[in-house]
Structure formats: structure tokens, C-alpha cells
């Protein structure tokens, strides 16, 4: 077996198909600008509760917006409190400074009331008239019938708003076609993630971050699927010839909690610098949503189908959020996890509170080592985090 003992070994032999994702950093903004010149509508969003199918059904492009780097936080703190989530401050700073090209290109930005901080951020952005801001009211008790009915009405309200704003018609057939596309994308992403169920793994945690983050800015969803499938196919072939990342003794870590992206990936870096491997990421851009797929044979109103799907996303904003714990238990078993790190951005209260329940699952029920980290986007605590992570690794028997 060709086992790569260090990350340097991995960088020298990493799959060529991964290079295509590196190119997305340079190309995505210019591709979007070109599509906008052709008349395509670009709709930006910050959250996985954003119903992308409606944008695809109207012939538009749905794109994730920036909010994972530290630099614009100083700009945001001129108006926002310092003790606010770094994701919100980064998003706001990038938006008002014009430094996020995707925000600048967007014809509309769709927000959602997943937390009070984001809700107030959208309010401030709307007052600045920096973009066409639209906010969806997200119900947060997923098991209640009233929540489903509210979310159905919110999707209908958004559909009407899109049709009136852009003079388009969003048909049921178009929504169903969009459902097929997003299902295909979710299947492709899950198949790629599931390759790391192998021992040793075949993808590093940093590659998982890059792939999931950069595809969020991809203009062509068909191309995004093709790229993910190409990575999976190459890795499958290489694995059959003995390729792996690390060894059978490499400690396998699951990362859960708040979302990470390029610029906010320091915990993943530190884990892998310590000689372990983040083999699975449960967060918003990772495994959390890939299993939520709509039955394409269900002939009910597609708006209802979308509402049911998105209301099942197990974000910590939901109460109770039993599905997150169920998902984590499956992932810990399926990915043969040795230890769990729960990452919380400072002032993200729902994830911070929910960490107690995650710890009880991991430590008490599954008897696995658990570490809760609370940090921000800065590098000021990097060495402190390094010490804590390295000490955590020493508690893991392998």
C-alpha cells in the first residue's frame, strides 16, 4: 500500500483533478461577470436554508457570498459590536466595502432569520441600499405543523417576489427540474465525502474545505457536479492502487459546529499539522445537507416538497435539534472517527449552547474523546489552539 505519512507527501501526489478547484478561486468571479453581461440574474445568499431550486427554476445563478476572512472585520466594527459573531462581521465588512465580488455582482441578496445578528445585519444592509436585500422568516421549531405552513408560505412569497422583480415565470416543471439537479449535486458530493470512510482516508481535511467552499461560488451547477465526480473517480482509481492519505494509525477527526471556509480554516490546519486528519466535516457546507434529497417521484406541490426538505436541515438554530445528534452518531460510526472537535465562533450562542448535548453524545454514549473550541477568525490565538489540539490528540488511543 502506498501510504502518505505526511502532508508534504500528500501535496506532492495529490489527485490532479483537485487542481481544477484551485482554479475556481481565480475564475469564478470573472465567469459570473460574463454570465451577468449575457442577462443571467445572479442571486446571492449566506445560508443553506436558501432555496436554490427557485433560482435555478427561473434561469438564474445562485451563489454563496463571502464571510470567512478576518480583514474586513475592522471595517464592520465601526458599526457593529465587537462581541458579535465573526462570520456576521466579516460578511458585513465585505458587503459595505465592495470587496466581495459576488455581492457586487448579485442582483438580489436573500437573507434568512437564522440568528438575531444576521437578521439585524440584513436590516442595516437594506438601509444602506447597497443591494436588493430580501429576508425570509425562518421558523425554528421543525417538528411543528405551524412551522411547515409558515415556511411554505415564505417560499411562495419568495417565488412571487422573484417573478415580479425579474419579470419571469417559475413553473412547477422548472422547479422539479431544479430538484433533479440539486439531488444529483447532493449525491455527487456525498459519494465524494464517503470515500473517506476508507481507512486510511483518501482526502485531507483541507481538501474537503477547499472543495466544499469553492463550489459554492460556481456558476454552472452541472460543471460543479462534473468536477466533484471527477475527483471521486480519480480517488477511487488511485485507492484501488494503494493510494491513501496518512496511515491506518493516523487519528481520524470529525469536525462539527459552525461553518468553515477559506480564511477561517485554522482549526483544520492545526489538526493536520498535529499529524491527525479531519476525515469528515459535518458543518453547513459539508455533510449536514447532502443526505437531504427530495423524492423525484413525489407528485405533490414542489413548493411543499422544498419546504419539507429545507426545514429538515439540522442547524443549531432549530429547537429541538435532534437530527444533528442523529447525524453525528451515524457519521462517527460510518467514518470510524477517533475523536470529535466541536468548533464554535465567538458569540454564536446556539452552537455554543448545543455543544453540551454534542459532548454528552460523544463522550457519554459513544465513549469518544471530545474537544470544544471557541474562537474567531484572527490568528491571535493560533498557538493556544495548537497546544489544546495537540493535548487533545494525546487523549486519543490509536
Amino acid at each position: 500500500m502506498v501510504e502518505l505519512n505526511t502532508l508534504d507527501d500528500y501535496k506532492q501526489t495529490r489527485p490532479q483533478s483537485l487542481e481544477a478547484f484551485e482554479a475556481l478561486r481565480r475564475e469564478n468571479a470573472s465567469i459570473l461577470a460574463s454570465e451577468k453581461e449575457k442577462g443571467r440574474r445572479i442571486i446571492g445568499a449566506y445560508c443553506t436554508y436558501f432555496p436554490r431550486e427557485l433560482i435555478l427554476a427561473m434561469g438564474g445563478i445562485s451563489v454563496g457570498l463571502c464571510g470567512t476572512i478576518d480583514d474586513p472585520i475592522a471595517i464592520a466594527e465601526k458599526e457593529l459590536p465587537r462581541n458579535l459573531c465573526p462570520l456576521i462581521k466579516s460578511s458585513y465588512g465585505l458587503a459595505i466595502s465592495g470587496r466581495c465580488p459576488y455581492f457586487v455582482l448579485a442582483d438580489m441578496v436573500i437573507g434568512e432569520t437564522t440568528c438575531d445578528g444576521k437578521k439585524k445585519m440584513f436590516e442595516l444592509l437594506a438601509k444602506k441600499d447597497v443591494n436588493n436585500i430580501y429576508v425570509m422568516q425562518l421558523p425554528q421549531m421543525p417538528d411543528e405543523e405551524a412551522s411547515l405552513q409558515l415556511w411554505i408560505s415564505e417560499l411562495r412569497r419568495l417565488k412571487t417576489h422573484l417573478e415580479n422583480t425579474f419579470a419571469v415565470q417559475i413553473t412547477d416543471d422548472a422547479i422539479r427540474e431544479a430538484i433533479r439537479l440539486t439531488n444529483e449535486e447532493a449525491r455527487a458530493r456525498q459519494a465524494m465525502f464517503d470515500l473517506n470512510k476508507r481507512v486510511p482516508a483518501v482526502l485531507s481535511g483541507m481538501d474537503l474545505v477547499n472543495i466544499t467552499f469553492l463550489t459554492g461560488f460556481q456558476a454552472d451547477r452541472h460543471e460543479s457536479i462534473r468536477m466533484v465526480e471527477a475527483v471521486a473517480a480519480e480517488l477511487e482509481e488511485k485507492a484501488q492502487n494503494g493510494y491513501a492519505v496518512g496511515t491506518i494509525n493516523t487519528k481520524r477527526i470529525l469536525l462539527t459546529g459552525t461553518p468553515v471556509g477559506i480564511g477561517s480554516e485554522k482549526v483544520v490546519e492545526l489538526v493536520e499539522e498535529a499529524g491527525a486528519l479531519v476525515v469528515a466535516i459535518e458543518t453547513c457546507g459539508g455533510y449536514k445537507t447532502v443526505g437531504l434529497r427530495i423524492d423525484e417521484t413525489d407528485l405533490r406541490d414542489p413548493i411543499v416538497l422544498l419546504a419539507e426538505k429545507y426545514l429538515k436541515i439540522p442547524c443549531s438554530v432549530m429547537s429541538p435539534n435532534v437530527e444533528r445528534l442523529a447525524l453525528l452518531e451515524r457519521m462517527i460510526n460510518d467514518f470510524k472517527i477517533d475523536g470529535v472537535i466541536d468548533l464554535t465562533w465567538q458569540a454564536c450562542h446556539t452552537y455554543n449552547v448545543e455543544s453540551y448535548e454534542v459532548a454528552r453524545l460523544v463522550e457519554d454514549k459513544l465513549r469518544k474523546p471530545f474537544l470544544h473550541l471557541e474562537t474567531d477568525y484572527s490568528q491571535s490565538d493560533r498557538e493556544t489552539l495548537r497546544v489544546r489540539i495537540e493535548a487533545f490528540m494525546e487523549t486519543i488511543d490509536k
Side-chain angles (χ1 to χ4, degrees):
M1 175 177 289
V2 181
E3 293 179 337
L4 307 181
N5 296 303
T6 69
L7 287 180
D8 286 338
D9 293 335
Y10 177 55
K11 291 173 183 177
Q12 294 172 14
T13 59
R14 65 202 301 262
Q16 292 182 349
S17 52
L18 288 173
E19 300 301 320
F21 291 94
E22 296 296 328
L24 288 179
R25 296 195 199 193
R26 303 183 298 272
E27 298 172 357
N28 269 341
S30 61
I31 292 173
L32 282 170
S34 176
E35 291 299 314
K36 188 177 178 73
E37 289 178 359
K38 298 175 185 177
R40 299 277 306 275
R41 297 296 187 177
I42 299 173
I43 311 299
Y46 291 100
C47 185
T48 54
Y49 285 104
F50 163 56
R52 295 183 298 131
E53 289 86 349
L54 293 182
I55 309 307
L56 295 171
M58 76 173 207
I61 298 172
S62 65
V63 62
L65 297 178
C66 317
T68 61
I69 59 176
D70 187 56
D71 290 351
I73 287 179
I75 299 172
E77 287 179 343
K78 294 178 181 179
E79 301 177 30
L80 300 179
R82 294 187 65 187
N83 62 339
L84 188 64
C85 167
L87 186 151
I88 297 171
K89 292 188 292 185
S90 178
S91 300
Y92 188 73
L94 284 164
I96 64 174
S97 67
R99 288 181 54 193
C100 175
Y102 310 106
F103 189 95
V104 173
L105 289 167
D107 297 290
M108 178 184 292
V109 171
I110 298 178
E112 75 309 313
T113 55
T114 44
C115 79
D116 291 341
K118 288 173 72 176
K119 181 168 62 177
K120 301 305 287 187
M121 179 188 77
F122 295 130
E123 181 182 324
L124 291 177
L125 286 175
K127 288 180 179 178
K128 287 183 177 296
D129 197 29
V130 293
N131 215 314
N132 186 358
I133 308 294
Y134 181 92
V135 179
M136 302 184 72
Q137 302 298 324
L138 176 70
Q140 297 172 4
M141 299 178 69
D143 298 330
E144 298 294 330
E145 177 63 24
S147 293
L148 176 60
Q149 294 306 315
L150 172 58
W151 195 228
I152 290 171
S153 69
E154 282 296 288
L155 293 185
R156 295 196 194 285
R157 186 170 70 93
L158 173 61
K159 175 178 177 289
T160 299
H161 184 76
L162 291 169
E163 290 176 326
N164 292 340
T165 301
F166 300 115
V168 296
Q169 183 179 9
I170 301 175
T171 66
D172 286 357
D173 286 344
I175 297 174
R176 291 187 188 281
E177 181 58 36
I179 287 172
R180 283 190 283 273
L181 179 60
T182 54
N183 276 353
E184 184 180 355
E185 185 175 28
R187 280 190 290 267
R189 288 163 67 89
Q190 183 169 6
M192 180 194 64
F193 291 146
D194 283 349
L195 290 174
N196 261 6
K197 292 179 179 178
R198 298 170 181 266
V199 179
V202 293
L203 273 169
S204 75
M206 283 305 302
D207 279 328
L208 291 175
V209 171
N210 283 321
I211 292 170
T212 56
F213 183 75
L214 291 169
T215 51
F217 302 104
Q218 173 66 270
D220 187 339
R221 307 320 300 172
H222 293 282
E223 177 63 12
S224 176
I225 294 167
R226 187 201 65 76
M227 291 173 66
V228 169
E229 289 178 337
V231 169
E234 184 178 359
L235 284 170
E236 185 72 45
E237 181 179 356
K238 289 171 73 72
Q240 290 176 1
N241 294 318
Y243 174 86
V245 181
T247 73
I248 59 173
N249 294 317
T250 299
K251 295 170 182 176
R252 300 168 63 86
I253 305 300
L254 182 148
L255 181 68
T256 183
T258 45
V260 296
I262 295 174
S264 62
E265 73 276 35
K266 64 182 177 183
V267 168
V268 179
E269 288 180 335
L270 289 169
V271 168
E272 301 195 335
E273 287 173 10
L277 201 67
V278 176
V279 299
I281 299 177
E282 180 269 338
T283 62
C284 298
Y287 214 79
K288 188 185 293 290
T289 60
V290 292
L292 298 178
R293 299 195 286 273
I294 295 173
D295 180 0
E296 295 172 26
T297 66
D298 193 328
L299 300 180
R300 290 181 296 151
D301 184 341
I303 293 291
V304 174
L305 300 179
L306 290 176
E308 291 175 344
K309 167 191 169 181
Y310 282 94
L311 206 56
K312 291 177 183 176
I313 296 175
C315 174
S316 66
V317 71
M318 293 299 175
S319 181
N321 189 23
V322 295
E323 288 303 318
R324 181 187 177 201
L325 298 179
L327 174 60
L328 284 172
E329 184 169 359
R330 291 196 301 273
M331 291 180 70
I332 290 168
N333 291 325
D334 292 347
F335 286 88
K336 303 172 183 65
I337 297 300
D338 298 310
V340 174
I341 294 179
D342 188 11
L343 172 64
T344 301
W345 298 130
Q346 289 175 358
C348 185
H349 302 309
T350 55
Y351 271 106
N352 214 345
V353 171
E354 202 165 272
S355 186
Y356 174 83
E357 295 293 341
V358 176
R360 298 288 67 78
L361 167 72
V362 176
E363 294 181 317
D364 297 347
K365 182 177 181 180
L366 302 179
R367 303 295 180 184
K368 300 285 185 181
F370 173 82
L371 176 65
H372 180 218
L373 298 175
E374 184 179 1
T375 184
D376 60 12
Y377 287 179
S378 75
Q379 299 297 312
S380 60
D381 64 346
R382 190 179 182 93
E383 293 311 307
T384 301
L385 290 172
R386 185 190 304 278
V387 171
R388 292 192 63 193
I389 288 169
E390 289 177 351
F392 174 64
M393 296 307 164
E394 292 178 4
T395 69
I396 299 176
D397 294 326
K398 189 69 177 175

